[in-house]
Amino acid sequence: MSAVADAVLYEGYLLYPYRRSSPKNRARWQFGVLFPRDWVEADDPVSPGVSGSADSWYQQTECLLRVRQPDATLRLRVRYLQLQHKQVEDAECRPVESLTCDDGTVQLTFEEAVPREADLVVPLAEGVRTVRVGAPAGTGTEPLPSAGGRVVRRREEVRASTTLEAERLGADLFRIRVRTANEGRTADPRAPRDQALRQALIATHTLLGAEGAEFVSLIDPGPALQEAARNCHNDFTFPVLGGPPPAVAPEDGSVSALMLSSPIILPDHPQVAPESPGDLHDAGEIDEILTLRTMLLTDEEKREARATDARAAEILDRVDTMPPEVFGRLHGAIRSLGPAARPAPVDRPAPAGRPAWWQEGADDGLSPATDTVLVDGVRVGGGARVRLRPRGRGADAQDMFLVGRTATVAAVFHDVDGSTHLAVTVDDDPAAELHGWYGRFHYFRPDEVEPLGGTDVPDPETAAEPSPGPSPSEA
């Protein structure tokens, strides 16, 4: 769990090619940033939502806790980065952009960050507790005798607090609320974002642990707790269960003694791939291509990257010395193998002798624009309107935001494993027409939609075939 939390803490901290001069490294700190309230609301109050990429002055987590013992205890850890300005100065203590030491190494003026965390342990019976989570101002000096100068690192005070509250919902069920707020004030509410960041909490996230109790998944709460889960209100963060996933999916909802509330949307039980040899500040999703691209940096580019930040230097050292067997593991991994079920489409039984999906002629007779599938006894195809009902268990986290929305079916796709998916555009999406033109759709299984009455599927002989876009296996 700590590896996932560290990936959240440093997500986007420094992006390839890890150089100060790279445009993408001139607009940093994009997730979980809590500014002083007067700066954030200089024009208007913030608009709450789960997006942790929106600037705010507070972050709120609400989740469900099922108690197993009367003396249950909660453990909370708030983590964030505090901005630290690294200023290079010459022998006269004048600010400069860079200095070169006798051994050829370079020091660059840049923005660094210091990891901070605060812990709180609360018996559940206490109900409410507040803890200070801010960090003091500070200055540090590093002499550079061989360069005739020095490096000065300065941090401004960060004022913040976290409040933990437990609200009883039933005999053994509690709603836990964690609210972290920046309590500082800026000298100038109209100051540039870079200046306001000096008093901000960056990449703020919360780890929760329970003893004698267990957290309930908000993604898969089980039938009995769906309503309570829907009533949990999360602002600028998204809580998911931590720890390893269970060997067998529980029938009454997922639970865990750990929870991570992250400004980045994650699934329950997130994990960093064991093949990943180290943090590349991109969540470990594209380690192989990032490693290959880093290998292709010129000596001059690597020199600048090493001078930009100590963490960038660590990445370069790891890539330059990576053993072949470690690099080989980055190419990919199959977590499990098993027989794939190949049910025939409801409306289109597979004729005997149909070629396998990789053979020529396998797609003959399939037409995404005119094919249909039966859903609750209703024929659904291109042009039909449906209501989206994504399953809680196994559904993509992004799909859960579309629960209850109406959509229009654009095409019916038959995947290589024999499954069927409906390509849809959401009706109240302002860009729905554009998505349809480009062929960019949301994909749902037939059991994840509810046909809406009064909608007739176009006749297959007269239906115009739209641009269907990629199939789910290619998307």
Side-chain angles (χ1 to χ4, degrees):
M1 190 65 181
S2 60
V4 176
D6 285 345
V8 171
L9 186 66
Y10 285 102
E11 167 65 18
Y13 173 84
L14 196 65
L15 299 177
Y16 172 87
Y18 310 116
R19 304 194 313 269
R20 184 185 68 172
S21 60
S22 173
K24 67 176 70 172
N25 286 320
R26 297 176 188 174
R28 301 159 72 201
W29 326 120
Q30 301 299 321
F31 298 98
V33 183
L34 307 185
F35 289 95
R37 184 173 184 173
D38 59 343
W39 186 87
V40 177
E41 298 188 338
D43 294 315
D44 297 294
V46 297
S47 299
V50 297
S51 175
S53 61
D55 291 341
S56 176
W57 59 272
Y58 75 97
Q59 186 181 85
Q60 176 175 291
T61 297
E62 286 191 352
C63 58
L64 300 177
L65 185 73
R66 194 157 52 193
V67 178
R68 299 299 188 191
Q69 300 175 7
D71 58 347
T73 299
L74 288 177
R75 295 181 179 273
L76 176 147
R77 174 170 292 173
V78 178
R79 308 174 80 228
Y80 63 93
L81 296 175
Q82 179 187 16
L83 190 70
Q84 177 171 267
H85 180 66
K86 173 189 173 186
Q87 179 64 60
V88 179
E89 297 181 351
D90 62 15
E92 304 298 326
C93 297
R94 294 173 300 193
V96 294
E97 285 299 305
S98 66
L99 283 178
T100 302
C101 301
D102 290 344
D103 60 1
T105 59
V106 178
Q107 292 285 348
L108 294 177
T109 294
F110 196 57
E111 302 292 344
E112 302 174 332
V114 179
R116 302 296 188 190
E117 59 185 38
D119 292 333
L120 179 63
V121 180
V122 181
L124 191 60
E126 288 195 11
V128 181
R129 180 79 71 84
T130 298
V131 61
R132 297 293 171 185
V133 298
T139 301
T141 302
E142 176 188 351
L144 298 174
S146 64
R150 64 178 187 173
V151 172
V152 180
R153 292 177 168 88
R154 297 182 177 90
R155 301 178 301 277
E156 293 191 17
E157 181 184 15
V158 175
R159 297 182 181 179
S161 67
T162 295
T163 298
L164 172 66
E165 181 178 355
E167 176 188 359
R168 184 182 291 274
L169 300 180
D172 63 348
L173 185 66
F174 285 78
R175 176 163 52 220
I176 304 302
R177 181 179 299 111
V178 179
R179 186 179 177 92
T180 298
N182 189 319
E183 299 177 338
R185 294 187 63 84
T186 59
D188 179 10
R190 298 289 179 178
R193 188 175 189 270
D194 290 349
Q195 183 174 330
L197 279 166
R198 299 172 187 175
Q199 296 175 263
L201 293 77
I202 299 169
T204 314
H205 60 281
T206 305
L207 290 167
L208 289 163
E211 297 177 8
E214 55 195 10
F215 295 100
V216 177
S217 169
L218 297 186
I219 298 174
D220 180 21
L225 297 179
Q226 286 186 0
E227 174 104 14
R230 280 195 296 267
N231 290 333
C232 288
H233 186 70
N234 289 281
D235 292 339
F236 310 105
T237 189
F238 190 77
V240 296
L241 299 184
V248 178
E251 295 182 358
D252 60 345
S254 299
V255 296
S256 175
L258 294 173
M259 179 162 275
L260 167 64
S261 188
S262 163
I264 302 169
I265 294 177
L266 299 170
D268 279 336
H269 308 290
Q271 299 178 70
V272 172
E275 293 80 13
S276 178
D279 185 13
L280 292 169
H281 306 319
D282 283 274
E285 295 175 350
I286 49 175
D287 281 13
E288 182 181 31
I289 191 170
L290 280 176
T291 300
L292 288 169
R293 294 292 297 271
T294 302
M295 288 178 173
L296 294 176
L297 292 174
T298 66
D299 291 342
E300 182 58 33
E301 289 172 332
K302 289 183 178 181
R303 186 166 176 258
E304 182 189 349
R306 291 181 188 278
T308 296
D309 190 87
R311 298 183 70 88
E314 292 177 6
I315 292 174
L316 294 177
D317 290 341
R318 187 167 63 246
V319 169
D320 287 345
T321 60
M322 185 177 295
E325 60 272 17
V326 174
F327 181 76
R329 290 201 300 267
L330 299 182
H331 189 59
I334 298 176
R335 302 297 175 203
S336 63
L337 289 173
R342 293 178 176 271
V346 176
D347 283 330
R348 187 188 296 277
R354 177 183 286 280
W357 65 268
W358 62 85
Q359 295 177 328
E360 185 176 356
D363 292 336
D364 292 349
L366 298 179
S367 175
T370 59
D371 283 353
T372 61
V373 63
L374 284 177
V375 180
D376 295 336
V378 178
R379 189 174 296 278
V380 174
R385 294 184 67 246
V386 296
R387 191 175 302 279
L388 303 178
R389 303 292 189 192
R391 298 188 310 174
R393 182 176 298 144
D396 186 280
Q398 299 286 349
D399 292 344
M400 300 307 295
F401 294 109
L402 303 179
V403 172
R405 306 275 282 278
T406 62
T408 300
V409 177
V412 178
F413 287 103
H414 304 282
D415 213 336
V416 296
D417 62 358
S419 62
T420 302
H421 286 79
L422 302 176
V424 307
T425 55
V426 180
D427 290 342
D428 60 357
D429 183 351
E433 184 177 357
L434 184 63
H435 293 326
W437 187 77
Y438 274 113
R440 296 173 179 169
F441 303 113
H442 297 281
Y443 293 92
F444 292 89
R445 295 182 301 275
D447 63 350
E448 293 185 302
V449 303
E450 170 190 325
L452 295 178
T455 302
D456 294 326
V457 175
D459 189 292
E461 300 295 327
T462 60
E465 183 162 344
S467 171
S471 70
S473 60
E474 298 170 330

